[in-house]
Amino acid sequence: MLENKMEVVNVDEVIEKFEAITKDVEKVQNETLKKILEENGSAEYLQSLGLNGRTDPESFKNCIPLCTHQNLEPFIQRIADGDTSPILTGKPITTISLSSGTTQGKPKFIPFTDQLLDNTLQIFRTSFAFRNREFPLGNGKALEFIFSSKQGKTKGGLAVGTATTNLYRNPYYKYALEELQFKCCSPTEVIFGSDFHQSLYCHLLCGLIFREDIQFLFSSFAHSIVLAFRTFEQVWEELCNDLQSGVLSSRVTSPSIRAAMSQLLKPNAQLADLLRNKCSGLSNWYGLIPELFPNAKYVYGIMTGSMEPYLKKLRHYAGELPLLSADYGASEGWIGANVNPLLPPELATFAVVPDIGYFEFIPLRDNGECIYTEPKPVGLADVKIGEEYEIIVTNYAGLYRYRLGDIVKVMGFHNKTPELKFVCRRSLLLTVNIDKNTEKDLQLAVEEAVKPLAEEKLELVDFSSLVDRSSEPGHYVIFWEISGEPTGEALQECCNCLDKSFIDAGYVSSRKIRSIGPLELRVVDGGTFQKILDHFLGLGAAVSQFKTPRCIGPSNKMVLQILNDNVVKSYFSTAY
């Protein structure tokens, strides 16, 4: 089944280039800014702020204010509505990306250009080079859980889709990925299938058909890989029946997928029996991935930030197989490559690629009251190890001094470029009064509080949170979906433990004087978080971009309704 050897990226050349551009990052950054501003100097946005064609960092920072998506929205809307004049960029923008929408409750429009495609491939080549040095791949295939949602059109006729969809639908991108040995074992019809559940089933089936050839497993986010193997637990017998008979399950109704799969699926009773024996012999599905794919070298995808809670389950499935965290970026563009692939995902760092954008960093210092002060941004060459920053991005696609909203910590340097650890999203805060708890604080509290469940051999499937101000005083609400039936005593213990695990000084003092009410744990029915995923898919989001909303704001009414409609038990903390 192995294919003829094709041209693969020259790893040494890529590493050499990266080493060169990271040795004098200040010079590279100034050249990058100059190039961005020369290409886009005619843009109305830059002209209106008085930049007048200047390209030096001082003039740029003096004229152009820091901005958020809200500031740029009117300009982007004009582009989406068909205005082809140079609004944010010199050349017209022909494609718009949609952010996942899971953070704020609705997707944002973000300009997408060929330059962003080039940046994506540059980042991928860089991390591939460092990854391949440690885990050299042979000549085989990848089991990729990738799903492309439909590309639509804006009012002005521009192509609009998620960032991943815009990439997958670019023919050059597919070819470039094959140079990086991303040779997907599933046919294109499966990736572009209109029904996620049918596509996922067929991805699993393709993986089994080519099981000996699978060199690594990939999805954009760890969540999708965990979801795939949770699904496998439910459908494995059906998959084995398909392999035995050579006939695709009736659950797949899409004519294009059925036609494509019929080319691959042939009766193979021997393989079906082998897989039945392997699945029956596993203890609680531990080490499922290496059992199914004996030649796989690693599992790859974004595993940091809001994906960290899925690592425990992913490790369970992966057994001894290494988990490698993919690169750091957002729908707005890329920032850093993982050049230390041997680090476990919890310690993953990302070396900023200094020629794909112009980067600034707002230092975040705690002033004793847990409120971030906001000093002047510093450049890429001026960040300090151990400090936390909010990232500001200027790119080729019309974002200038754009606040990404991510908080990162500088863990070290690769030559002169900083290696960043993602900490959290700045906007995702649980706060009633003087308390400030980030997504990371929530995750740590949940990790501590699930321990009583582990003793009962149960696991947390997923979680979310909100601040309930409907009664006085306001209080935190944490939603949990649990596999199995814990006792009321265990859940009350979990609830108290959650409350005690938020160690932010403002929270603790407010709980003690009762200016924040007792934390509430709401347990939701099995399948509730799947309903949330289905809700976002219904809005046109791609599974490959889905992130469970960890902190639900007032604008996320539908998600809140789904959670509240599925609450089966509720507990209030007695910890204070």
Side-chain angles (χ1 to χ4, degrees):
M1 279 189 200
L2 290 175
E3 309 289 326
N4 293 330
K5 194 147 179 67
M6 68 167 293
E7 197 61 39
V8 173
V9 162
N10 184 323
V11 165
D12 296 334
E13 223 170 77
V14 173
I15 290 177
E16 206 177 298
K17 187 193 170 201
F18 185 73
E19 296 297 336
I21 62 169
T22 53
K23 282 186 175 138
D24 187 352
V25 295
E26 191 164 7
K27 180 174 173 238
V28 172
Q29 279 280 278
N30 290 346
E31 285 168 358
T32 303
L33 179 65
K34 184 170 186 276
K35 202 172 160 195
I36 290 170
L37 297 178
E38 278 173 354
E39 276 186 27
N40 299 313
S42 61
E44 176 193 320
Y45 181 77
L46 296 176
Q47 296 275 1
S48 69
L49 292 165
L51 195 58
N52 296 332
R54 286 171 293 179
T55 59
D56 61 289
E58 290 68 33
S59 304
F60 176 64
K61 288 173 196 172
N62 288 338
C63 294
I64 311 300
L66 298 182
C67 73
T68 63
H69 189 269
Q70 213 175 347
N71 304 125
L72 296 182
E73 212 160 358
F75 298 95
I76 297 172
Q77 195 60 54
R78 280 172 53 202
I79 295 165
D81 290 346
D83 187 335
T84 56
S85 63
I87 297 172
L88 288 172
T89 54
K91 291 181 193 152
I93 284 162
T94 55
T95 309
I96 297 280
S97 282
L98 283 172
S99 71
S100 65
T102 47
T103 305
Q104 305 296 346
K106 66 178 174 88
K108 297 182 299 211
F109 276 8
I110 296 156
F112 182 86
T113 62
D114 287 344
Q115 184 67 47
L116 286 192
L117 173 69
D118 291 344
N119 291 164
T120 301
L121 293 172
Q122 183 184 344
I123 285 264
F124 285 6
R125 282 189 197 106
T126 305
S127 59
F128 171 78
F130 284 92
R131 194 164 71 248
N132 218 47
R133 200 162 64 170
E134 305 297 344
F135 301 96
L137 295 177
N139 194 24
K141 295 181 183 293
L143 172 51
E144 300 178 46
F145 296 106
I146 50 178
F147 309 89
S148 173
S149 58
K150 285 193 180 72
Q151 247 182 348
K153 292 274 184 212
T154 66
K155 186 176 152 192
L158 277 66
V160 61
T162 61
T164 45
T165 296
N166 291 336
L167 290 173
Y168 297 149
R169 289 191 177 270
N170 187 304
Y172 175 64
Y173 178 74
K174 183 175 185 284
Y175 173 74
L177 275 197
E178 288 188 2
E179 290 185 315
L180 305 178
Q181 289 171 292
F182 271 79
K183 201 159 174 47
C184 185
C185 67
S186 303
T188 307
E189 291 82 353
V190 172
I191 297 168
F192 289 96
S194 57
D195 182 297
F196 155 69
H197 301 281
Q198 294 183 35
S199 291
L200 173 54
Y201 184 86
C202 291
H203 276 314
L204 289 167
L205 188 55
C206 291
L208 298 177
I209 291 169
F210 294 106
R211 68 183 290 265
E212 299 279 343
D213 293 350
I214 300 300
Q215 300 199 85
F216 67 95
L217 290 84
F218 167 78
S219 189
S220 302
F221 289 123
H223 170 266
S224 299
I225 308 173
V226 170
L227 181 61
F229 288 101
R230 282 193 192 278
T231 303
F232 182 88
E233 287 186 38
Q234 313 298 321
V235 301
W236 70 275
E237 288 166 297
E238 206 174 327
L239 289 163
C240 289
N241 293 342
D242 290 4
L243 291 167
Q244 177 137 6
S245 64
V247 179
L248 185 59
S249 161
S250 59
R251 71 164 62 226
V252 181
T253 56
S254 158
S256 62
I257 295 182
R258 288 196 74 85
M261 290 301 294
S262 69
Q263 303 294 308
L264 299 178
L265 184 59
K266 305 288 179 258
N268 190 338
Q270 196 182 349
L271 176 58
D273 287 342
L274 174 75
L275 291 167
R276 285 189 188 106
N277 288 335
K278 286 192 174 296
C279 291
S280 306
L282 288 172
S283 166
N284 195 23
W285 302 102
Y286 176 80
L288 171 62
I289 293 173
E291 279 297 321
L292 295 179
F293 312 107
N295 298 316
K297 297 198 173 175
Y298 51 81
V299 180
Y300 185 59
I302 293 170
M303 299 182 187
T304 49
S306 61
M307 293 299 125
E308 266 191 49
Y310 305 109
L311 287 176
K312 188 180 173 197
K313 189 67 176 171
L314 190 51
R315 280 213 171 87
H316 182 80
Y317 287 135
E320 299 299 307
L321 211 57
L323 302 183
L324 274 57
S325 194
D327 309 303
Y328 173 37
S331 299
E332 289 87 349
W334 289 97
I335 293 149
N338 182 354
V339 299
N340 300 307
L342 293 176
L343 287 177
E346 293 87 346
L347 302 175
T349 59
F350 306 96
V352 178
V353 180
D355 65 345
I356 60 169
Y358 184 74
F359 301 102
E360 297 170 76
F361 297 83
I362 302 176
L364 300 176
R365 298 195 185 93
D366 228 334
N367 66 1
E369 290 183 348
C370 304
I371 295 167
Y372 285 127
T373 55
E374 194 155 289
K376 210 171 147 191
V378 298
L380 189 61
D382 305 313
V383 296
K384 294 184 169 60
I385 290 181
E387 295 284 321
E388 289 190 0
Y389 300 88
E390 182 190 345
I391 298 191
I392 311 293
V393 175
T394 296
N395 70 11
Y396 288 91
L399 302 183
Y400 306 100
R401 308 198 80 200
Y402 180 93
R403 298 181 78 142
L404 202 57
D406 285 2
I407 294 176
V408 295
K409 186 174 185 175
V410 178
M411 304 305 286
F413 287 88
H414 184 98
N415 294 325
K416 292 282 169 52
T417 199
E419 294 187 331
L420 308 177
K421 180 174 168 58
F422 177 85
V423 177
C424 62
R425 297 279 299 157
R426 191 169 189 177
S427 59
L428 295 184
L429 278 178
L430 287 169
T431 176
V432 176
N433 45 52
I434 61 165
D435 53 311
K436 295 273 186 296
N437 279 299
T438 66
E439 182 182 4
K440 186 70 183 171
D441 298 322
L442 170 65
Q443 186 189 314
L444 292 171
V446 168
E447 278 172 14
E448 191 56 40
V450 294
K451 287 175 181 171
L453 290 185
E455 288 163 26
E456 295 196 17
K457 299 275 188 290
L458 299 168
E459 65 178 9
L460 184 66
V461 174
D462 222 328
F463 65 94
S464 192
S465 68
L466 60 83
V467 169
D468 185 348
R469 291 193 177 81
S470 62
S471 56
E472 210 32 67
H475 68 284
Y476 290 7
V477 177
I478 314 292
F479 295 92
W480 276 10
E481 182 181 322
I482 301 163
S483 67
E485 287 289 323
T487 61
E489 293 77 35
L491 287 169
Q492 186 60 57
E493 190 186 337
C494 291
C495 181
N496 291 352
C497 185
L498 268 172
D499 207 1
K500 281 286 194 189
S501 297
F502 285 106
I503 54 174
D504 164 67
Y507 183 77
V508 174
S509 59
S510 298
R511 281 292 286 118
K512 283 178 176 168
I513 61 168
R514 293 182 166 51
S515 62
I516 295 179
L519 178 140
E520 183 182 358
L521 173 60
R522 294 181 192 167
V523 180
V524 296
D525 229 341
T528 298
F529 282 87
Q530 179 65 47
K531 288 177 186 171
I532 292 172
L533 169 60
D534 289 338
H535 161 68
F536 281 107
L537 294 183
L539 296 177
V543 177
S544 3
Q545 267 187 289
F546 177 75
K547 299 187 281 287
T548 297
R550 291 283 176 233
C551 182
I552 299 160
S555 61
N556 233 334
K557 291 188 178 69
M558 265 314 296
V559 173
L560 185 53
Q561 194 179 326
I562 293 167
L563 286 167
N564 282 332
D565 287 351
N566 287 277
V567 173
V568 287
K569 290 173 186 159
S570 182
Y571 297 84
F572 282 92
S573 165
T574 55
Y576 287 91

